Amino acid sequence: MAGLRLGYAVGHKDLIKQMSERRLAVDTNQLVTAAAAAGLNDDEFVARVCKLNAEVRNYLCGELKRCSSISYLLRRTSS
């Protein structure tokens, strides 16, 4: 849902400071935090989402390989 977004960033403190200065005025609310906690505590949900993410990543990489004019770097930050 567009209204339920949660994320985080990891990086050098100067970069994080610059990003923080440009973030949206809307901040995380209690509903978002509760939904995120519930999702992370649901092992079946986490496994399903990880599997789906891997499938989509593999599909996208396969399609990019078919386009010889597009290069990319494969990064696996989460599985």
Side-chain angles (χ1 to χ4, degrees):
M1 289 186 219
L4 296 177
R5 295 188 184 266
L6 178 68
Y8 66 93
V10 177
H12 189 275
K13 66 180 180 178
D14 294 336
L15 174 61
I16 299 298
K17 182 180 178 198
Q18 289 178 359
M19 290 172 61
S20 181
E21 291 169 355
R22 290 167 178 80
R23 70 180 173 186
L24 297 174
V26 180
D27 209 353
T28 303
N29 60 45
Q30 289 180 325
L31 179 59
V32 171
T33 303
L40 290 174
N41 289 322
D42 184 343
D43 293 337
E44 184 179 316
F45 171 77
V46 172
R48 189 171 65 246
V49 169
C50 286
K51 182 177 182 276
L52 180 59
N53 284 346
E55 290 171 1
V56 171
R57 180 184 58 235
N58 292 338
Y59 170 78
L60 177 61
C61 289
E63 293 301 307
L64 288 173
K65 284 179 187 176
R66 292 176 5 138
C67 302
S68 60
S69 63
I70 299 176
S71 62
Y72 67 95
L73 297 173
L74 179 60
R75 296 288 185 245
R76 295 190 183 212
T77 57
S78 59
S79 348

